[in-house]
Amino acid sequence: MTLGEALAAARQKIDRLDARLLLQYATGCSHADLLARPETPLIAPAYAQFAAWVERRAAGEPLAYLVGEAEFRGRVFQVSPAVLIPRPETEVLIELALDKLRGLAAPRVLDLGTGSGILAISLALECTAAKLVAVDVSPEALSVARTNAGHLAAPVDFRAGDWFAPVAGERFDLIVANPPYVAGGDPHLVLNGLPFEPQLALTDGADGLSCIRQIVAGAPAHLHAGGWLLFEHGYDQGEASRNLLTDGAFKATFTHRDLSGIDRVSGASL
Ligand code: GLN
């Protein structure tokens, strides 16, 4: 079996790009190697790994979980089924957060439900003045986040616990969160690899807003005057999110769209 033959066989079963990436991961070859020398024989262990991955991918398992990593904002993050796979739309939250942090001397920033750590780590690396605290209720997720912070040399103070519990009595200049916001029973939960992702990170099992309600309710006690709360939400949750913020005595409430034009992040200041 050659590289070219293995690739052609895999393309019958899975997406072309996924097939190529899995072959690169299994063999250590670059894209250029595959193009220049498709006649190279595949050694047995690499072929066995590739064939097993192709079967699992064909059964719907996300590529990021097969290879154990995913890219976000140009950095590679380790992922496991204990954490959500980074989504490009979450970059909107980073951009808005960086905007709010601009000009602050040593802002304290809290990331609630950090998962793989992409928000806290990206903010720590892109706003070096900021002091990051990141919380997650899942010890398995925190261990992935700590590994990522170590690999990327990002100074983040990770704490285990439920939402604000690990930061009792502390105040921040900015709170960010990408909470579980998919409603229980949403048909999307059974599509596009979502069944392989941690349900704890995707859905509240209720109307999709219960975590957002908890975060909005708890944030005022943990923000300095003038501090910002920014969180990601679903395409149809912008208005409900703004109402929660306004009812919760926040001001300057807004919703921002992602690159697909979908309501994606809402926020407000205290
Ligand atoms: N955006 C994700 C999805 O729809 C959900 C992420 C989340 O719940 N925080 O797949």
Side-chain angles (χ1 to χ4, degrees):
M1 174 77 73
T2 66
L3 289 174
E5 287 163 357
L7 196 55
R11 282 174 174 170
Q12 306 297 316
K13 300 184 178 177
I14 62 173
D15 170 80
R16 293 169 70 91
L17 176 61
D18 287 358
R20 171 166 73 72
L21 291 173
L22 288 174
L23 189 58
Q24 288 175 217
Y25 273 102
T27 59
C29 290
S30 67
H31 187 193
D33 295 334
L34 298 182
L35 291 172
R37 286 183 293 281
E39 71 287 357
T40 308
L42 212 66
I43 57 166
Y47 179 68
Q49 172 68 273
F50 179 60
W53 277 346
V54 169
E55 290 311 317
R56 286 167 65 186
R57 185 72 196 95
E61 201 165 338
L63 183 134
Y65 289 152
L66 298 176
V67 301
E69 62 186 41
E71 212 176 278
F72 180 73
R73 264 179 104 72
R75 300 183 182 93
V76 176
F77 289 80
Q78 197 182 94
V79 297
S80 81
V83 298
L84 278 193
I85 298 163
R87 314 287 207 260
E89 58 267 26
T90 301
E91 292 212 24
V92 173
L93 187 40
I94 303 270
E95 296 292 344
L96 290 167
L98 290 172
D99 190 52
K100 301 304 176 201
L101 293 173
R102 204 156 289 135
L104 299 185
R108 297 197 73 220
V109 181
L110 173 63
D111 174 19
L112 291 172
T114 195
S116 62
I118 56 166
L119 285 176
I121 292 169
S122 302
L123 290 175
L125 294 174
E126 294 181 45
C127 176
T128 48
K131 305 274 173 262
L132 267 297
V133 175
V135 168
D136 207 286
V137 75
S138 154
E140 294 80 17
L142 270 187
S143 135
V144 173
R146 282 199 175 98
T147 303
N148 283 324
H151 286 164
L152 294 163
V156 178
D157 175 0
F158 290 104
R159 305 198 196 161
D162 198 22
W163 301 130
F164 294 100
V167 293
E170 295 180 48
R171 287 191 189 261
F172 298 85
D173 300 284
L174 171 67
I175 299 174
V176 294
N178 178 11
Y181 54 70
V182 181
D186 186 312
H188 290 107
L189 288 170
V190 297
L191 301 175
N192 298 328
L194 264 62
F196 292 90
E197 298 196 86
Q199 298 303 295
L200 181 72
L202 281 170
T203 176
D204 59 1
D207 67 349
L209 286 166
S210 60
C211 297
I212 290 175
R213 277 188 206 98
Q214 284 185 58
I215 290 168
V216 171
H222 296 280
L223 279 172
H224 291 303
W228 286 87
L229 168 64
L230 305 173
F231 55 89
E232 183 172 320
H233 55 67
Y235 69 96
D236 57 354
Q237 293 171 330
E239 188 180 354
S241 296
R242 291 193 302 279
N243 288 340
L244 286 169
L245 288 161
T246 310
D247 293 348
F250 281 90
K251 51 186 196 244
T253 302
F254 70 91
T255 297
H256 205 88
R257 294 186 174 174
D258 65 20
L259 292 174
S260 316
I262 290 166
D263 281 357
R264 184 56 68 193
V265 172
S266 287
S269 75
L270 197 60

